[in-house]
Amino acid sequence: MKRVVSWLIIVVLAVVPLVGVGVFSWVQAQDPEELAPKPTAILQKPTTITDDGSVNATITATYKQGMTVFAPSWQGTITGVSIAPGATVSTGTELLKIDGVARLAAASASPFYRSLTVNDKGEDVRDLESVLQTLGYFKRKPNTVFDDATRVAVIALEKRIGVTDPSGVFDPGWLVWLPADQLAVGSVNVQVNQQAPAVGEPVFVSASSLDAISTATAGGPFAFNGTYVLSQNGQDVATVSRAEDVNQDLLSRLQADDSSNADARQYQVSLRYEQPVQALSVPSAAVLTDKDGGGTCVYGKYSSKDAKYRAVSVTVTSGTLGKTHVQYTDDLAGFYVLADPLAIMGEGAQCPSK
């Protein structure tokens, strides 16, 4: 009898653990998360801080490459160059002299390509009269007919540029076409005593021009929602309150990165509030955005008596690693924020749409 009892005890001790393991394995196979530990809801009041909004930012300035101004059909020797880098060129600006005759810039609708004289007609006649009007030589409304008034104006032009025997016949080589008016000279491609450049060769190249300026942080474009002190290398440089305040004048006072090039220049700067503000610090994981990305909120409770978590809208001002700073309100200061709403509430953790 004792032997039978001993064997029963041995069988029970061997079989029961195996049955337990089998049940555990079956439950896991049905729902692997059933036995996983549940996350613990952590509620904490926001920490009141003094926030100076400090953030590192990158200013990027992009530039348009300069335009090339090409020579018309010329022959002869360059006897004078009238432009230099930094000069501004517009209609009527003398660029150079060839065998003593000046060649002027002209911002017309298109380049001049043929000689023009009395009774000639065409849009190029209108363009010529418009240039002559800008120079003060043509007093009437430009039209498409080269008449005596046009001839008188052309003679005045010839006298100005140094033609020794004015005839009133327009030579297209007198005017150099500008692709745009008011061009700043970047580099000059002609020199005194050289042969005049052949048709289509460069006369000068305009300076590159600023196209756009953007300011961004690691989180994306920087939103100017107050007045900030901009500094670089520990030195305060300027006070800015709008994107427009970050302009070419400000860039001239900053040092560009070594990696900058002719097309784009970058400047590493710091921004902080001119007047620090009171703010609330909450865990970054607590801050949610609505489905449209236009609003932010946190979930939590006002007291342990609250049956459900509720959403409170917040305005993000800045942040540090793991912490997000939001605009101070008395309502939020007394709110117990849920540290990780997604882990606790799952898909239910969504900011209400406005």
Side-chain angles (χ1 to χ4, degrees):
M1 185 65 180
K2 291 182 178 180
R3 182 176 296 177
V4 172
V5 172
S6 298
W7 276 107
L8 286 174
I9 293 172
I10 292 171
V11 169
V12 170
L13 292 175
V15 172
V16 170
L18 291 175
V19 172
V21 171
V23 171
F24 181 84
S25 300
W26 180 83
V27 171
Q28 276 202 319
Q30 299 304 308
D31 186 358
E33 296 183 1
E34 186 69 23
L35 300 177
K38 300 298 182 183
T40 301
I42 299 175
L43 291 164
Q44 59 188 63
K45 279 189 175 182
T47 303
T48 302
I49 61 169
T50 299
D51 184 13
D52 67 357
S54 293
V55 64
N56 293 324
T58 300
I59 300 173
T60 302
T62 55
Y63 292 83
K64 290 181 180 178
Q65 289 302 299
M67 300 178 180
T68 301
V69 175
F70 300 101
S73 181
W74 280 338
Q75 289 184 347
T77 302
I78 297 174
T79 54
V81 175
S82 307
I83 54 172
T88 300
V89 173
S90 57
T91 297
T93 300
E94 181 179 314
L95 303 179
L96 69 161
K97 287 184 172 68
I98 298 176
D99 295 332
V101 177
R103 312 302 164 121
L104 308 182
S108 55
S110 57
F112 296 102
Y113 65 94
R114 62 171 179 156
S115 296
L116 295 171
T117 189
V118 174
N119 295 327
D120 283 340
K121 298 178 181 179
E123 287 299 322
D124 55 346
V125 175
R126 190 198 304 275
D127 292 342
L128 173 60
E129 290 177 347
S130 295
V131 171
L132 293 171
Q133 186 179 62
T134 299
L135 298 178
Y137 302 139
F138 191 76
K139 306 300 182 182
R140 301 187 311 180
K141 182 179 179 179
N143 56 66
T144 58
V145 179
F146 193 120
D147 57 16
D148 285 337
T150 314
R151 178 177 178 275
V152 170
V154 169
I155 290 174
L157 172 64
E158 290 180 280
K159 291 179 179 178
R160 170 175 173 173
I161 63 178
V163 175
T164 55
D165 188 15
S167 64
V169 177
F170 171 70
D171 181 344
W174 296 335
L175 299 180
V176 180
W177 185 67
L178 295 181
D181 208 359
Q182 299 292 324
L183 290 181
V185 178
S187 59
V188 179
N189 298 77
V190 293
Q191 294 182 12
V192 175
N193 295 326
Q194 286 184 342
Q195 286 295 305
V199 59
E201 291 186 350
V203 177
F204 73 89
V205 178
S206 68
S208 58
S209 59
L210 184 62
D211 185 31
I213 300 176
S214 62
T215 305
T217 65
F222 183 76
F224 289 86
N225 54 12
T227 302
Y228 298 83
V229 176
L230 184 148
S231 62
Q232 187 180 55
N233 300 325
Q235 299 294 320
D236 293 346
V237 179
T239 301
V240 295
S241 56
R242 306 171 304 158
E244 292 79 7
D245 294 336
V246 184
N247 50 34
Q248 194 161 14
D249 176 65
L250 175 58
L251 296 184
S252 68
R253 291 181 277 159
L254 297 175
Q255 181 178 353
D257 294 353
D258 293 338
S259 59
S260 297
N261 53 52
D263 295 326
R265 297 175 192 167
Q266 291 190 327
Y267 307 80
Q268 304 303 320
V269 299
S270 297
L271 292 161
R272 70 177 189 275
Y273 295 141
E274 184 180 38
Q275 297 294 333
V277 297
Q278 191 176 37
L280 296 170
S281 176
V282 299
S284 295
V287 181
L288 304 174
T289 57
D290 62 25
K291 61 182 180 180
D292 298 323
T296 50
C297 72
V298 294
Y299 271 86
K301 297 180 179 181
Y302 283 105
S303 74
S304 58
K305 296 180 181 180
D306 290 344
K308 295 181 179 181
Y309 298 114
R310 65 181 70 188
V312 174
S313 296
V314 297
T315 300
V316 175
T317 58
S318 61
T320 58
L321 184 63
K323 295 291 184 180
T324 296
H325 302 161
V326 299
Q327 197 171 82
Y328 182 94
T329 64
D330 291 334
D331 184 53
L332 185 59
F335 190 66
Y336 289 87
V337 174
L338 184 59
D340 193 351
L342 291 175
I344 303 302
M345 300 174 60
E347 295 182 358
Q350 295 183 3
C351 291
S353 299
K354 293 184 178 181

